Each structure stands twice: as structure tokens, then as C-alpha cells.
Amino acid sequence: MSDAVVLPNDPRSLCEFLVRRLVDEPDAVSVTQEAGDGGPVLRIAVAADDRGKVIGRQGRVVRALRTVVRAGGARSNERVTLEIVE
Amino acid sequence: MDDLTYEATGETVGEAKWAALRELERRFPGLDRTGVAFQVLTEGERGLMGIGREPARVVATLGERPSGAGEQSDSPSPRPSAPRRSEAPRRAVAAPSTPQSDTAEATAVRDLVVSIASGLGLEAAVHVAESDTELTATLSGEDLGLVIGKHGKTIDALQYLVNAILTRGDDGKHVVIDAQNYRRRREQALHETATRAASDAVRLGRPVSLEPMTSVERKIVHLFLKGQGDVETSSDGREPYRFIVVAPAGASTE
């Protein structure tokens, strides 16, 4: 019946899952987590042609991504920051 | 009515189905959900401003009495295709659905939302209802305030992402994400806000600006006030802070 992928409950996994689903080249996606001053920083790397898909018109996609991923980190009171790397 | 059948009510058909299913699962722990058939008696009436509201009524019937009571459900468990690192055991539950009506689109929506819910650490079940123009995925479970967020910010972002992922350029059906009846509560609140703004605009004889809203919410307000001859509506400002202006009819200065 359901083929739903079960994700571990951490912001990086959720972020990577969502970005892979948004782009044309999921294999080129990598999301790495670093500790930042204000909480974890997720660095998103995608194929050059896919950057627009992750950012979206007027940044709407990346803004939605940030909101959803932050909701996942909200329980542990971590303020997650997203960055799209060149 | 025998104990294999249960009639339940809810604010939506999905909620009524869930209520019925929960009762059957209480009677027959570990029942096979795919063996449950649902009959929708009435889809319910939304009513206007709380008047004339009717609950949805659904009858759930279990095909056959489970042989071993208390047996574990044999519904296929979700495959963990990502390594599980979390300590606490969690479940991603696929919602009950009438198998015939489950299109590939509905399945894709449910699988995606179930995965996202698991990534958010939620124990939520997802039910998908399909109409000609929309697919509505409703989450039910504990702790869903997190998925709604302040002023619905999170659920709107989630909905935007799901649409961005699933439509991918082609014009598939629009996907609506709902939880705890948020969409309906929000719609009612918008109607109340609109009614108040309209009466203020007429009484004061000048335009009244509303708080910024998403395009979907602005559309609800525009449509709601369209039928009222004494006011005109327009939008002003830039996304994401675009807002509606309600003005007395004929007084538009634009």
C-alpha cells in the first residue's frame, strides 16, 4: 500500500529529503550540517541548473523550506539556518 | 447494528472515517484496515457563520470478523529506506482509504506527506480526499500545532512545498494540506474578518485595510465580499505582505 519513506527526526534529513524531491538531479544534492553561532546551519548544495528550483520565484521555495525545516527543529529549541552554497 | 458496523460523525468526511475506524480498532485490536469499507451518509454542511452546520456521517463496516483477536495488524509496515537514527520509536501510518478511489496522485500525495510528517517527528496519519480540482491531505494525530504553526505559517509553507514538488511544472491538481480542521477554521475566521471590515467601511464611509494574507486567503475574502453590493475589494502591497482593502461601493479612489 504505502511506499512512504520514513525519515529520522532531524532537520538535516528532512531538508535533504525535500530538496531531493524538488530538483531534477537528486543525486547531486548534498546537505551538510555545521554548528553555527545561532544554532545548526544546513548547507545545501545542488546542481547549478537546479538552484532556481530550490530558491523559487522571489525566494518562495527556500522560504517555505526554511519554515518547514525549522518546525522540525523547534522541539529541541534549535534555530536552524539554511544556506544554499554556490 | 452489529458490532462489525459503526456509524460516526465528524466535521469532515475524513474525520468521521477516522472516528469510525478508531472505534472498530478499539473493538478489534489489530484489525486489517484494508478490510474496512466506508459508506458516506452525508458529507455534512459547512453552514454560514456557524448556522446550519451539519456533521458528516459515515458508516464503517468491517468485512469479516478478525479470527485471532488482538493479533498484530498485517498491514505492510513502511520500509525504512533511510537509516533510522532516532531513539524514540515512531510510526508513520498510512491512512485508511477506500481502495477504489485511491488514484496514483492521491497515493503520491499521501506518501510525501507521511514522509514529511515522519521527518518532523510527528505521529500523524494522513488521509487524502480527492475532488475534480483538488487533493486534500488531512493529518490527524497528536501534537499537530507544530505542523500548523503561528498563523498557519508552517502548514502553508508545507502546502507550498508539496505543490512545488508534485506539480513540477505540469498542471496537476492543487494540493491542500489540512490538520485539526485548520482550513475551515481559518476560512470562518476570514469570513468574520471580512464581514467586520465591510460593515466598518460602510459605517465609516472610507476604505478599511486588512492584515496581509496569502493569495489563497485573499481569494476567499474577495469571493466572500463579492456577493455584497455595498463594498468593493482590491489588493494592495507586495508579496508576502499583500493585503486586501475593503471600500464602500462607488467610493473607490483608484
Side-chain angles (χ1 to χ4, degrees):
Chain A
M1 235 190 66
S2 177
D3 290 330
V5 173
V6 177
L7 301 172
N9 174 18
D10 72 90
R12 197 205 63 81
S13 302
L14 179 61
C15 182
E16 186 174 81
F17 170 81
L18 290 169
V19 173
R20 280 184 200 272
R21 293 292 303 262
L22 283 164
V23 299
D24 286 334
E25 292 181 53
D27 290 344
V29 173
S30 84
V31 178
T32 53
Q33 181 165 342
E34 289 170 25
D37 293 340
V41 179
L42 298 179
R43 293 185 191 279
I44 303 168
V46 299
D49 287 348
D50 278 332
R51 295 193 62 206
K53 290 200 180 62
V54 180
I55 295 166
R57 250 187 306 153
Q58 295 168 339
R60 283 195 71 181
V61 174
V62 71
R63 206 161 52 227
L65 199 58
R66 191 173 287 133
T67 302
V68 171
V69 170
R70 272 188 186 159
R75 283 191 188 189
S76 43
N77 276 322
E78 290 179 325
R79 187 167 175 84
V80 184
T81 309
L82 303 193
E83 277 182 18
I84 299 172
V85 294
E86 294 279 341
Chain B
M1 201 179 274
D2 67 3
D3 64 346
L4 292 177
T5 305
Y6 184 72
E7 182 182 327
T9 58
E11 291 216 43
T12 63
V13 171
E15 287 183 16
K17 282 183 178 177
W18 268 105
L21 192 73
R22 267 196 296 273
E23 173 58 23
L24 287 178
E25 286 195 318
R26 194 187 60 78
R27 290 176 187 175
F28 307 105
L31 65 81
D32 178 10
R33 287 176 172 186
T34 56
V36 179
F38 294 100
Q39 189 195 352
V40 178
L41 298 180
T42 160
E43 301 204 336
E45 286 293 327
R46 168 176 318 180
L48 190 61
M49 324 295 299
I51 301 163
R53 199 188 305 174
E54 289 253 324
R57 308 183 76 84
V58 166
V59 172
T61 308
L62 189 55
E64 54 189 66
R65 193 173 297 276
S67 39
E71 211 177 304
Q72 270 304 304
S73 167
D74 60 354
S75 60
S77 53
R79 284 170 236 154
S81 61
R84 304 279 305 264
R85 304 204 282 108
S86 59
E87 318 74 16
R90 289 174 299 108
R91 290 177 300 140
V93 189
S97 54
T98 33
Q100 313 90 299
S101 67
D102 233 16
T103 62
E105 256 180 317
T107 306
V109 170
R110 193 178 53 233
D111 286 352
L112 178 58
V113 178
V114 164
S115 294
I116 296 172
S118 75
L120 289 170
L122 298 173
E123 272 195 33
V126 181
H127 172 85
V128 180
E130 191 164 13
S131 77
D132 290 343
T133 51
E134 277 180 355
L135 289 150
T136 304
T138 305
L139 290 105
S140 34
E142 302 288 313
D143 248 358
L144 294 180
L146 180 139
V147 88
I148 294 172
K150 205 188 269 180
H151 302 305
K153 193 178 166 195
T154 307
I155 202 167
D156 284 342
L158 180 57
Q159 178 170 313
Y160 186 78
L161 280 181
V162 167
N163 279 289
I165 288 171
L166 291 175
T167 49
R168 299 286 306 276
D170 55 298
D171 38 19
K173 287 182 186 175
H174 183 67
V175 180
V176 176
I177 310 287
D178 200 1
Q180 292 176 345
N181 231 11
Y182 173 74
R183 299 288 167 203
R184 181 160 305 173
R185 283 191 284 129
R186 183 69 183 146
E187 188 180 16
Q188 275 171 358
L190 288 172
H191 286 176
E192 281 161 29
T193 304
T195 304
R196 216 176 310 124
S199 78
D200 284 354
V202 170
R203 187 166 49 84
L204 303 170
R206 61 171 177 81
V208 172
S209 299
L210 301 184
E211 61 182 296
M213 291 172 190
T214 63
S215 60
V216 175
E217 294 184 339
R218 292 198 306 273
K219 192 171 169 190
I220 290 170
V221 174
H222 282 307
L223 289 176
F224 180 72
L225 289 179
K226 206 174 176 179
Q228 311 198 352
D230 49 355
V231 288
E232 289 167 353
T233 59
S234 55
S235 293
D236 199 357
R238 294 189 55 155
E239 300 283 9
Y241 304 108
R242 210 162 153 73
F243 57 91
I244 284 187
V245 179
V246 183
S252 175
T253 51
E254 287 163 68

